[in-house]
Coordinates of all heavy atoms in Angstrom, one line a residue:
R182 N 14.8 33.6 -8.6 CA 15.4 32.7 -7.7 C 14.8 31.2 -7.8 O 15.5 30.3 -7.6 CB 15.2 33.2 -6.2 CG 15.4 32.1 -5.2 CD 16.2 32.7 -4.0 NE 16.2 31.7 -2.9 CZ 16.8 30.5 -2.8 NH1 17.4 30.1 -3.9 NH2 16.7 29.7 -1.7
E183 N 13.5 31.2 -8.1 CA 12.9 29.9 -8.2 C 13.2 29.1 -9.4 O 13.0 27.9 -9.4 CB 11.4 30.1 -8.0 CG 11.0 30.6 -6.6 CD 9.5 31.0 -6.5 OE1 8.8 30.8 -7.4 OE2 9.1 31.4 -5.4
G184 N 13.6 29.9 -10.4 CA 13.8 29.1 -11.7 C 14.8 28.0 -11.7 O 14.5 26.9 -12.1
P185 N 16.0 28.3 -11.1 CA 17.0 27.2 -11.2 C 16.6 25.9 -10.4 O 16.8 24.8 -10.8 CB 18.2 27.9 -10.6 CG 18.1 29.3 -10.8 CD 16.6 29.6 -10.8
I186 N 16.0 26.1 -9.2 CA 15.6 24.9 -8.4 C 14.5 24.2 -9.1 O 14.5 22.9 -9.1 CB 15.3 25.2 -7.0 CG1 15.1 23.9 -6.1 CG2 14.1 26.2 -6.9 CD1 16.2 23.0 -6.1
R187 N 13.6 24.9 -9.7 CA 12.4 24.2 -10.4 C 13.0 23.5 -11.6 O 12.6 22.3 -11.9 CB 11.4 25.3 -10.8 CG 10.6 25.7 -9.7 CD 9.5 26.6 -10.1 NE 8.6 27.0 -9.1 CZ 7.4 27.5 -9.2 NH1 6.9 27.6 -10.4 NH2 6.7 27.8 -8.1
A188 N 13.9 24.1 -12.3 CA 14.4 23.4 -13.6 C 15.2 22.2 -13.2 O 15.1 21.1 -13.7 CB 15.3 24.4 -14.4
Q189 N 16.0 22.3 -12.1 CA 16.9 21.2 -11.7 C 16.1 20.1 -11.2 O 16.3 18.9 -11.5 CB 17.9 21.7 -10.7 CG 19.0 22.5 -11.3 CD 20.2 22.8 -10.5 OE1 20.5 22.1 -9.5 NE2 20.8 23.9 -10.7
S190 N 15.0 20.4 -10.4 CA 14.1 19.5 -9.8 C 13.4 18.6 -11.0 O 13.3 17.5 -11.0 CB 13.1 20.1 -9.0 OG 13.6 20.8 -7.9
W191 N 12.9 19.4 -12.0 CA 12.3 18.7 -13.2 C 13.3 17.8 -13.9 O 12.9 16.6 -14.1 CB 11.8 19.7 -14.2 CG 11.1 19.1 -15.3 CD1 11.6 18.5 -16.4 CD2 9.7 18.6 -15.3 NE1 10.7 17.9 -17.1 CE2 9.5 18.0 -16.4 CE3 8.6 18.9 -14.4 CZ2 8.2 17.5 -16.9 CZ3 7.4 18.4 -14.8 CH2 7.2 17.7 -16.0
V192 N 14.5 18.3 -14.1 CA 15.4 17.4 -14.9 C 15.8 16.2 -14.1 O 15.9 15.0 -14.6 CB 16.8 18.3 -15.1 CG1 17.9 17.3 -15.7 CG2 16.4 19.3 -16.2
V193 N 16.0 16.3 -12.8 CA 16.5 15.1 -12.0 C 15.3 14.0 -11.9 O 15.6 12.9 -12.0 CB 17.1 15.4 -10.6 CG1 16.0 16.0 -9.6 CG2 17.9 14.3 -10.0
L194 N 14.1 14.5 -11.7 CA 13.0 13.6 -11.7 C 12.6 13.0 -12.9 O 12.3 11.8 -13.0 CB 11.8 14.2 -11.0 CG 11.9 14.7 -9.4 CD1 10.9 15.6 -9.0 CD2 12.1 13.4 -8.6
D195 N 12.8 13.8 -14.0 CA 12.6 13.2 -15.3 C 13.6 12.2 -15.7 O 13.2 11.2 -16.3 CB 12.6 14.4 -16.3 CG 12.1 14.0 -17.7 OD1 11.1 13.4 -17.8 OD2 12.7 14.4 -18.7
R196 N 14.8 12.4 -15.3 CA 15.8 11.3 -15.5 C 15.5 10.1 -14.8 O 15.8 8.9 -15.3 CB 17.2 11.9 -15.2 CG 17.7 12.9 -16.2 CD 19.1 13.4 -15.9 NE 19.6 14.3 -16.9 CZ 20.6 15.0 -16.8 NH1 21.4 14.9 -15.7 NH2 21.0 15.9 -17.7
I197 N 15.1 10.2 -13.6 CA 14.7 9.0 -12.8 C 13.6 8.3 -13.5 O 13.6 7.1 -13.6 CB 14.3 9.5 -11.3 CG1 15.5 9.9 -10.6 CG2 13.5 8.3 -10.7 CD1 15.2 10.5 -9.2
R198 N 12.6 9.1 -14.0 CA 11.4 8.5 -14.7 C 11.9 7.7 -16.0 O 11.5 6.6 -16.2 CB 10.4 9.5 -15.1 CG 9.2 9.0 -15.9 CD 8.1 10.0 -16.2 NE 8.7 11.1 -16.8 CZ 7.9 12.2 -17.0 NH1 6.8 12.4 -16.4 NH2 8.5 13.2 -17.6
D199 N 12.8 8.3 -16.7 CA 13.4 7.8 -17.9 C 14.1 6.5 -17.6 O 14.0 5.5 -18.4 CB 14.4 8.7 -18.6 CG 13.6 9.8 -19.3 OD1 12.5 9.8 -19.5 OD2 14.3 10.8 -19.7
T200 N 14.9 6.4 -16.6 CA 15.6 5.3 -16.1 C 14.7 4.2 -15.7 O 14.9 3.0 -16.2 CB 16.6 5.6 -15.0 OG1 17.5 6.6 -15.4 CG2 17.4 4.4 -14.5
L201 N 13.7 4.5 -15.0 CA 12.8 3.4 -14.6 C 11.9 2.9 -15.9 O 11.7 1.7 -15.9 CB 11.7 4.0 -13.6 CG 12.2 4.2 -12.2 CD1 11.3 5.1 -11.4 CD2 12.5 2.9 -11.6
E202 N 11.6 3.8 -16.7 CA 10.9 3.3 -17.9 C 11.7 2.4 -18.8 O 11.2 1.4 -19.3 CB 10.3 4.5 -18.7 CG 9.1 5.1 -18.0 CD 8.6 6.4 -18.7 OE1 9.2 6.8 -19.6 OE2 7.6 7.0 -18.2
A203 N 13.0 2.7 -18.9 CA 13.9 1.8 -19.7 C 14.0 0.5 -19.0 O 14.3 -0.5 -19.7 CB 15.2 2.6 -19.7
A204 N 13.9 0.4 -17.7 CA 13.9 -0.9 -17.0 C 12.5 -1.6 -17.0 O 12.4 -2.6 -16.3 CB 14.4 -0.6 -15.5
G205 N 11.6 -1.0 -17.6 CA 10.2 -1.6 -17.6 C 9.3 -1.1 -16.5 O 8.3 -1.9 -16.2
G206 N 9.7 -0.1 -15.8 CA 8.9 0.3 -14.6 C 8.4 1.7 -14.8 O 8.3 2.2 -15.9
G207 N 8.0 2.3 -13.7 CA 7.5 3.7 -13.7 C 7.7 4.3 -12.3 O 8.1 3.7 -11.4
M208 N 7.3 5.5 -12.3 CA 7.4 6.3 -11.0 C 6.6 5.7 -9.9 O 7.0 5.8 -8.7 CB 7.0 7.7 -11.2 CG 7.9 8.5 -12.1 SD 9.6 8.6 -11.6 CE 9.6 10.1 -10.6
E209 N 5.6 4.9 -10.2 CA 4.8 4.2 -9.1 C 5.6 3.1 -8.5 O 5.2 2.6 -7.4 CB 3.5 3.6 -9.7 CG 3.7 2.5 -10.8 CD 4.0 3.1 -12.2 OE1 4.1 4.3 -12.4 OE2 4.2 2.1 -13.0
D210 N 6.7 2.7 -9.0 CA 7.5 1.7 -8.5 C 8.6 2.2 -7.4 O 9.3 1.4 -6.8 CB 8.3 1.0 -9.6 CG 7.4 0.2 -10.5 OD1 6.5 -0.5 -10.0 OD2 7.6 0.4 -11.8
V211 N 8.7 3.5 -7.3 CA 9.6 4.2 -6.4 C 9.1 4.0 -5.0 O 8.0 4.3 -4.7 CB 9.8 5.7 -6.7 CG1 10.7 6.3 -5.7 CG2 10.5 5.9 -8.1
V212 N 9.9 3.5 -4.1 CA 9.5 3.2 -2.8 C 10.2 4.1 -1.8 O 9.7 4.2 -0.6 CB 9.8 1.8 -2.3 CG1 8.9 0.8 -3.2 CG2 11.2 1.4 -2.5
R213 N 11.3 4.8 -2.2 CA 12.0 5.7 -1.3 C 12.8 6.7 -2.1 O 13.4 6.4 -3.2 CB 12.9 5.0 -0.4 CG 13.7 5.8 0.5 CD 14.5 4.9 1.6 NE 15.3 5.6 2.4 CZ 15.0 6.4 3.4 NH1 13.7 6.5 3.7 NH2 15.8 7.0 4.1
L214 N 12.8 8.0 -1.6 CA 13.6 9.1 -2.2 C 14.5 9.6 -1.1 O 14.0 9.7 0.0 CB 12.7 10.2 -2.7 CG 11.7 9.9 -3.9 CD1 10.9 11.1 -4.1 CD2 12.6 9.6 -5.1
V215 N 15.7 9.9 -1.4 CA 16.6 10.7 -0.6 C 16.9 11.9 -1.4 O 17.5 11.8 -2.5 CB 17.9 9.9 -0.2 CG1 18.8 10.8 0.7 CG2 17.6 8.6 0.5
Q216 N 16.6 13.1 -0.8 CA 16.7 14.4 -1.5 C 17.8 15.2 -0.9 O 17.7 15.5 0.3 CB 15.4 15.1 -1.6 CG 14.4 14.3 -2.3 CD 13.1 14.0 -1.6 OE1 12.0 14.1 -2.1 NE2 13.2 13.6 -0.3
Y217 N 18.9 15.6 -1.6 CA 19.9 16.4 -1.1 C 19.8 17.9 -1.6 O 19.6 18.1 -2.8 CB 21.3 15.9 -1.5 CG 21.5 14.4 -1.0 CD1 21.1 13.3 -1.8 CD2 22.0 14.1 0.2 CE1 21.3 12.0 -1.5 CE2 22.2 12.8 0.6 CZ 21.9 11.8 -0.2 OH 22.0 10.5 0.2
F218 N 19.8 18.8 -0.7 CA 19.7 20.2 -1.1 C 20.9 21.0 -0.6 O 21.3 20.8 0.6 CB 18.4 20.8 -0.4 CG 17.2 20.3 -1.0 CD1 16.6 19.1 -0.5 CD2 16.5 20.9 -2.1 CE1 15.4 18.6 -1.0 CE2 15.4 20.3 -2.6 CZ 14.9 19.2 -2.1
R219 N 21.3 21.9 -1.3 CA 22.4 22.9 -0.9 C 21.7 23.9 0.1 O 22.4 24.4 1.0 CB 23.0 23.6 -2.0 CG 23.8 22.7 -3.0 CD 25.2 23.1 -3.4 NE 25.7 24.3 -2.8 CZ 26.1 25.3 -3.5 NH1 25.9 25.4 -4.8 NH2 26.7 26.3 -2.9
N220 N 20.4 24.2 -0.1 CA 19.7 25.1 0.7 C 18.3 24.6 0.9 O 17.5 24.4 0.0 CB 19.7 26.5 0.0 CG 19.1 27.5 0.9 OD1 18.3 27.2 1.9 ND2 19.4 28.8 0.7
L221 N 17.9 24.3 2.2 CA 16.6 23.8 2.6 C 15.4 24.7 2.1 O 14.3 24.3 2.0 CB 16.5 23.3 4.0 CG 17.3 22.0 4.3 CD1 17.1 21.7 5.8 CD2 16.8 20.9 3.4
D222 N 15.8 26.0 1.9 CA 14.7 26.9 1.5 C 14.2 26.6 0.1 O 13.1 27.0 -0.3 CB 15.3 28.4 1.4 CG 15.6 29.0 2.8 OD1 15.0 28.4 3.8 OD2 16.4 30.0 2.9
D223 N 14.9 25.7 -0.7 CA 14.4 25.3 -2.0 C 13.5 24.2 -1.9 O 12.8 23.8 -2.9 CB 15.7 24.9 -2.8 CG 16.6 26.1 -3.2 OD1 16.0 27.1 -3.4 OD2 17.7 25.8 -3.5
Y224 N 13.4 23.5 -0.7 CA 12.5 22.5 -0.6 C 11.0 22.6 -1.0 O 10.5 21.8 -1.8 CB 12.5 21.8 0.8 CG 11.7 20.6 1.0 CD1 12.1 19.4 0.4 CD2 10.5 20.5 1.7 CE1 11.4 18.2 0.5 CE2 9.8 19.3 1.9 CZ 10.2 18.2 1.2 OH 9.5 17.1 1.4
P225 N 10.4 23.7 -0.7 CA 9.0 23.9 -1.2 C 8.9 24.0 -2.6 O 7.9 23.5 -3.2 CB 8.6 25.3 -0.6 CG 9.4 25.4 0.7 CD 10.8 24.8 0.2
Q226 N 9.8 24.6 -3.3 CA 9.8 24.6 -4.9 C 9.9 23.2 -5.4 O 9.3 22.9 -6.4 CB 10.9 25.6 -5.3 CG 10.6 27.0 -5.0 CD 9.3 27.6 -5.4 OE1 8.8 27.2 -6.5 NE2 8.6 28.4 -4.5
Y227 N 10.9 22.5 -4.9 CA 11.1 21.2 -5.3 C 9.9 20.3 -5.1 O 9.5 19.5 -6.0 CB 12.3 20.5 -4.5 CG 12.3 19.0 -4.6 CD1 12.9 18.4 -5.7 CD2 11.8 18.2 -3.6 CE1 12.9 17.0 -5.8 CE2 11.8 16.9 -3.7 CZ 12.4 16.3 -4.8 OH 12.4 14.9 -4.8
T228 N 9.2 20.4 -3.9 CA 8.0 19.7 -3.6 C 6.9 19.9 -4.6 O 6.2 19.0 -5.0 CB 7.5 20.0 -2.2 OG1 8.5 19.7 -1.3 CG2 6.3 19.2 -1.9
R229 N 6.7 21.1 -5.1 CA 5.8 21.3 -6.2 C 6.0 20.6 -7.4 O 5.1 20.1 -8.0 CB 5.7 22.9 -6.5 CG 5.1 23.7 -5.4 CD 5.0 25.1 -5.8 NE 4.3 25.9 -4.7 CZ 5.0 26.9 -4.1 NH1 6.2 27.2 -4.4 NH2 4.3 27.5 -3.2
I230 N 7.3 20.5 -7.8 CA 7.7 19.7 -9.0 C 7.5 18.2 -8.8 O 7.0 17.4 -9.5 CB 9.1 20.0 -9.4 CG1 9.3 21.5 -9.8 CG2 9.6 19.1 -10.7 CD1 8.3 22.0 -10.9
R231 N 8.0 17.8 -7.6 CA 7.9 16.3 -7.2 C 6.4 15.9 -7.2 O 6.2 14.8 -7.7 CB 8.5 16.1 -5.8 CG 8.4 14.7 -5.4 CD 8.7 14.5 -3.9 NE 7.6 15.0 -3.2 CZ 7.6 15.3 -1.9 NH1 8.7 14.9 -1.2 NH2 6.5 15.7 -1.3
N232 N 5.5 16.7 -6.8 CA 4.1 16.4 -6.8 C 3.5 16.2 -8.2 O 2.6 15.5 -8.4 CB 3.3 17.4 -6.0 CG 3.6 17.4 -4.5 OD1 4.1 16.4 -4.0 ND2 3.2 18.4 -3.9
L233 N 4.1 16.7 -9.2 CA 3.7 16.5 -10.6 C 4.2 15.1 -11.0 O 3.4 14.4 -11.8 CB 4.4 17.5 -11.5 CG 4.0 18.9 -11.3 CD1 4.8 19.9 -12.2 CD2 2.5 19.2 -11.5
F234 N 5.3 14.5 -10.5 CA 5.8 13.2 -10.8 C 5.1 12.2 -10.0 O 5.1 11.0 -10.3 CB 7.3 13.1 -10.7 CG 8.0 13.9 -11.8 CD1 8.2 15.2 -11.8 CD2 8.4 13.1 -12.9 CE1 8.8 15.9 -12.8 CE2 9.1 13.9 -13.9 CZ 9.3 15.2 -13.9
F235 N 4.6 12.5 -8.8 CA 3.9 11.7 -7.8 C 2.6 12.2 -7.5 O 2.5 12.8 -6.3 CB 4.8 11.4 -6.6 CG 6.2 10.8 -6.9 CD1 7.3 11.5 -7.0 CD2 6.3 9.4 -7.1 CE1 8.5 11.0 -7.2 CE2 7.5 8.8 -7.3 CZ 8.6 9.6 -7.4
P236 N 1.6 12.2 -8.4 CA 0.4 12.9 -8.1 C -0.4 12.4 -6.9 O -1.2 13.0 -6.2 CB -0.4 12.8 -9.3 CG 0.2 11.7 -10.2 CD 1.7 11.6 -9.7
Q237 N -0.2 11.0 -6.6 CA -0.8 10.5 -5.4 C 0.2 10.7 -4.2 O 0.9 11.7 -4.3 CB -1.0 9.0 -5.6 CG -1.7 8.6 -6.9 CD -3.2 9.2 -6.9 OE1 -3.8 9.2 -5.9 NE2 -3.6 9.7 -8.1
T238 N 0.2 9.9 -3.2 CA 1.1 10.1 -2.1 C 2.5 9.8 -2.6 O 2.8 8.8 -3.2 CB 0.7 9.1 -1.0 OG1 -0.7 9.3 -0.7 CG2 1.5 9.3 0.2
P239 N 3.5 10.7 -2.4 CA 4.8 10.5 -2.7 C 5.5 9.4 -1.9 O 4.9 9.0 -0.7 CB 5.5 11.9 -2.5 CG 4.7 12.6 -1.5 CD 3.3 12.1 -1.7
P240 N 6.5 8.7 -2.3 CA 7.1 7.7 -1.5 C 7.8 8.2 -0.3 O 8.0 9.4 -0.2 CB 8.2 7.1 -2.5 CG 8.4 8.1 -3.5 CD 7.2 9.0 -3.6
T241 N 8.1 7.3 0.6 CA 8.8 7.6 1.8 C 10.1 8.4 1.4 O 10.7 8.1 0.4 CB 9.2 6.4 2.5 OG1 8.1 5.7 2.9 CG2 10.0 6.7 3.8
S242 N 10.4 9.5 2.1 CA 11.6 10.2 1.7 C 12.4 10.8 2.9 O 11.8 10.9 4.1 CB 11.2 11.4 0.8 OG 10.4 12.3 1.5
T243 N 13.6 11.1 2.6 CA 14.5 11.7 3.5 C 15.0 13.0 2.9 O 15.4 12.9 1.6 CB 15.7 10.7 3.9 OG1 15.2 9.6 4.4 CG2 16.7 11.4 4.8
V244 N 15.1 14.1 3.6 CA 15.7 15.3 3.1 C 16.9 15.6 3.9 O 16.9 15.6 5.1 CB 14.5 16.4 3.2 CG1 15.2 17.8 2.8 CG2 13.4 16.1 2.5
V245 N 18.0 16.0 3.2 CA 19.3 16.3 3.7 C 19.8 17.6 3.1 O 19.8 17.8 1.9 CB 20.3 15.2 3.5 CG1 21.6 15.5 4.0 CG2 19.8 13.8 3.9
E246 N 20.3 18.4 4.0 CA 21.0 19.7 3.5 C 22.5 19.4 3.5 O 23.0 18.9 4.5 CB 20.7 20.9 4.4 CG 21.3 22.2 3.8 CD 20.8 23.3 4.6 OE1 20.7 23.3 6.0 OE2 20.6 24.4 4.1
V247 N 23.1 19.7 2.4 CA 24.5 19.5 2.3 C 25.3 20.8 1.9 O 24.7 21.8 1.4 CB 24.9 18.4 1.2 CG1 24.3 17.1 1.6 CG2 24.3 18.9 -0.2
S248 N 26.6 20.9 2.1 CA 27.3 22.1 1.9 C 27.6 22.3 0.4 O 27.9 23.5 -0.1 CB 28.6 22.2 2.6 OG 29.4 21.1 2.3
G249 N 27.6 21.2 -0.3 CA 28.0 21.3 -1.8 C 27.8 20.1 -2.5 O 27.7 18.9 -1.8
M250 N 27.7 20.1 -3.8 CA 27.6 18.9 -4.6 C 28.4 18.9 -5.9 O 28.8 20.0 -6.3 CB 26.1 18.6 -5.1 CG 25.2 18.2 -3.9 SD 23.5 17.9 -4.3 CE 22.8 19.5 -4.0
L251 N 28.8 17.9 -6.4 CA 29.7 17.8 -7.6 C 28.7 17.8 -8.8 O 27.7 17.3 -8.6 CB 30.5 16.5 -7.6 CG 31.6 16.5 -6.5 CD1 32.3 15.2 -6.5 CD2 32.6 17.6 -6.6
P252 N 29.1 18.3 -9.9 CA 30.4 18.7 -10.3 C 30.8 20.2 -10.0 O 31.9 20.5 -10.1 CB 30.4 18.5 -11.8 CG 29.0 18.7 -12.2 CD 28.2 18.3 -11.0
N253 N 29.8 21.0 -9.6 CA 30.1 22.4 -9.3 C 29.0 23.1 -8.4 O 28.0 22.4 -8.0 CB 30.1 23.2 -10.7 CG 28.8 23.2 -11.4 OD1 27.8 23.5 -11.0 ND2 29.0 22.8 -12.7
E254 N 29.3 24.3 -8.1 CA 28.4 25.0 -7.1 C 27.1 25.3 -7.7 O 26.2 25.8 -6.9 CB 29.1 26.3 -6.6 CG 29.2 27.4 -7.7 CD 30.4 27.2 -8.7 OE1 31.2 26.3 -8.6 OE2 30.6 28.0 -9.6
H255 N 26.7 25.1 -8.9 CA 25.5 25.4 -9.5 C 24.4 24.3 -9.2 O 23.2 24.5 -9.5 CB 25.6 25.7 -10.9 CG 26.5 26.9 -11.2 ND1 26.2 28.1 -10.9 CD2 27.7 26.9 -11.8 CE1 27.2 29.0 -11.2 NE2 28.2 28.3 -11.8
I256 N 24.9 23.1 -8.8 CA 24.0 22.0 -8.5 C 23.3 22.3 -7.2 O 23.9 22.5 -6.1 CB 24.7 20.7 -8.4 CG1 25.5 20.4 -9.7 CG2 23.7 19.6 -8.1 CD1 24.7 20.3 -11.0
L257 N 21.9 22.4 -7.2 CA 21.1 22.7 -6.1 C 20.4 21.5 -5.4 O 20.1 21.6 -4.3 CB 20.0 23.7 -6.5 CG 20.6 25.1 -7.1 CD1 19.4 25.9 -7.6 CD2 21.5 25.8 -6.1
V258 N 20.1 20.5 -6.2 CA 19.4 19.3 -5.7 C 19.9 18.1 -6.4 O 20.3 18.0 -7.6 CB 17.9 19.6 -5.9 CG1 17.6 19.7 -7.4 CG2 17.1 18.5 -5.3
E259 N 19.9 17.0 -5.6 CA 20.3 15.7 -6.1 C 19.3 14.8 -5.4 O 18.9 14.9 -4.3 CB 21.7 15.3 -5.8 CG 22.1 13.9 -6.3 CD 23.5 13.7 -6.1 OE1 24.4 14.5 -6.3 OE2 23.8 12.5 -5.7
V260 N 18.8 13.8 -6.3 CA 17.8 12.8 -5.7 C 18.2 11.4 -5.9 O 18.6 11.1 -7.1 CB 16.4 13.1 -6.3 CG1 15.4 12.2 -5.8 CG2 15.9 14.6 -6.1
E261 N 18.2 10.6 -4.9 CA 18.5 9.2 -5.0 C 17.1 8.5 -4.9 O 16.4 8.7 -3.9 CB 19.3 8.9 -3.9 CG 19.6 7.4 -3.8 CD 20.6 7.1 -2.5 OE1 21.3 7.9 -2.1 OE2 20.3 6.0 -2.0
A262 N 16.8 7.7 -5.8 CA 15.5 6.9 -5.8 C 15.8 5.4 -5.7 O 16.7 5.0 -6.3 CB 14.7 7.2 -7.0
T263 N 15.0 4.8 -4.8 CA 15.0 3.3 -4.8 C 13.7 2.9 -5.3 O 12.6 3.4 -4.8 CB 15.2 2.9 -3.3 OG1 16.4 3.4 -2.8 CG2 15.2 1.4 -3.2
A264 N 13.7 1.9 -6.1 CA 12.4 1.4 -6.8 C 12.5 -0.1 -6.8 O 13.5 -0.7 -6.8 CB 12.3 2.0 -8.2
H265 N 11.3 -0.6 -6.8 CA 11.1 -2.1 -6.9 C 10.4 -2.3 -8.2 O 9.1 -2.0 -8.4 CB 10.3 -2.7 -5.8 CG 10.1 -4.1 -5.9 ND1 9.1 -4.6 -6.7 CD2 10.8 -5.1 -5.4 CE1 9.2 -6.0 -6.6 NE2 10.2 -6.3 -5.8
V266 N 11.1 -2.7 -9.3 CA 10.5 -3.0 -10.6 C 10.3 -4.4 -10.8 O 11.3 -5.1 -10.8 CB 11.4 -2.4 -11.7 CG1 10.8 -2.7 -13.1 CG2 11.6 -0.9 -11.5
P267 N 9.1 -4.9 -10.8 CA 8.9 -6.3 -10.9 C 9.4 -6.9 -12.2 O 9.3 -6.1 -13.2 CB 7.3 -6.5 -10.8 CG 6.9 -5.2 -10.2 CD 7.8 -4.1 -10.6
L268 N 9.9 -8.1 -12.2 CA 10.4 -8.7 -13.5 C 9.1 -9.2 -14.2 O 8.2 -9.7 -13.6 CB 11.3 -9.9 -13.1 CG 12.5 -9.6 -12.3 CD1 13.3 -10.8 -12.0 CD2 13.5 -8.7 -13.3
T269 N 9.3 -9.1 -15.5 CA 8.1 -9.5 -16.3 C 8.5 -10.8 -17.2 O 9.6 -11.1 -17.4 CB 7.7 -8.4 -17.3 OG1 8.8 -8.0 -18.1 CG2 7.1 -7.3 -16.6

């Protein structure tokens, strides 16, 4: 049961990291997360993965349970990140 949420958590946070790095920033630039779950029982597993990406204090966050996500019923988590990447 824990495998899919852990894998999806890793993928979504890794994509956020890749996007930030492409823009010249990093995970330390994230100031807010909005995390959407199909089942809030998955939150503790997600948190374990999130803590690997934010080893210090994680950014301010909101957690929302939703009835479904696109593109299909296999999506368990979606994360919206707001970051402030300074211009260089």
Side-chain angles (χ1 to χ4, degrees):
R182 163 140 169 69
E183 296 173 359
I186 187 60
R187 285 184 177 200
Q189 288 185 32
S190 299
W191 183 273
V192 168
V193 73
L194 291 168
D195 192 47
R196 286 182 179 169
I197 290 169
R198 179 175 57 194
D199 288 347
T200 300
L201 287 168
E202 288 175 355
M208 295 301 269
E209 66 278 1
D210 297 314
V211 176
V212 295
R213 180 171 174 77
L214 295 172
V215 181
Q216 296 124 138
Y217 301 93
F218 293 89
R219 292 222 16 235
N220 185 336
L221 287 179
D222 290 341
D223 290 332
Y224 183 69
Q226 296 302 322
Y227 164 81
T228 300
R229 288 187 179 114
I230 301 301
R231 184 194 64 192
N232 290 343
L233 298 173
F234 286 84
F235 298 98
Q237 306 300 318
T238 305
T241 301
S242 67
T243 300
V244 176
V245 181
E246 185 175 38
V247 296
S248 61
M250 288 183 264
L251 295 173
N253 61 53
E254 70 278 357
H255 301 293
I256 304 299
L257 302 175
V258 61
E259 183 173 316
V260 179
E261 174 186 329
T263 303
H265 179 279
V266 178
L268 297 174
T269 55

